């Protein structure tokens, strides 16, 4: 069986992709164990983030721990060096 070439009609515009818009609602999937349903959080987000603040903290900690605090590193200097010296 021979294949037949069907050309495109003239004057058709080329396909152009649409730019992705920033997120305005939370995309976190929440599961309801009693009714066995799943749905999106749909809380408003800031700056196009994927999750709202509460869902983001829950993903960091798993919901059972406090969120991690910022670690402060003590600057090394010869006056506060705590190593034993000979």
């Amino acid at each position: 069986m021979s294949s037949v070439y069907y050309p495109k009609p003239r004057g058709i515009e080329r396909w152009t992709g649409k730019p992705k818009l920033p997120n305005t609602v939370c995309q976190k999937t929440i599961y309801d164990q009693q009714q066995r349903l799943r749905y999106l959080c749909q809380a408003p987000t800031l700056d196009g983030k994927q999750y709202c603040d509460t869902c983001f903290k829950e993903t960091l900690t798993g919901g059972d721990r406090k969120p991690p605090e910022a670690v402060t590193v003590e600057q090394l200097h010869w006056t506060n060096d705590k190593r034993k010296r000979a």
Side-chain angles (χ1 to χ4, degrees):
M1 195 180 246
S2 63
S3 61
V4 179
Y5 174 71
Y6 295 102
K8 288 184 180 179
R10 293 183 183 191
I12 290 181
E13 296 180 14
R14 296 183 66 91
W15 179 84
T16 55
K18 295 179 184 176
K20 184 180 177 186
L21 299 175
N23 287 333
T24 55
V25 293
C26 182
Q27 302 295 318
K28 175 76 175 166
T29 305
I30 298 173
Y31 296 96
D32 188 3
Q33 298 296 332
Q34 282 78 24
Q35 297 180 0
R36 295 187 176 142
L37 295 174
R38 64 180 186 175
Y39 54 93
L40 295 177
C41 176
Q42 299 290 334
T45 60
L46 299 173
D47 302 328
K49 293 182 180 177
Q50 188 171 1
Y51 297 142
C52 62
D53 291 338
T54 56
C55 291
F56 182 71
K57 287 178 185 174
E58 187 175 330
T59 57
L60 283 180
T61 62
D64 59 348
R65 297 185 304 272
K66 292 190 298 185
E69 298 176 359
V71 177
T72 58
V73 178
E74 197 175 312
Q75 295 292 325
L76 294 176
H77 194 263
W78 66 272
T79 58
N80 64 357
D81 192 5
K82 296 173 183 161
R83 294 180 288 177
K84 290 185 179 179
R85 299 201 176 256

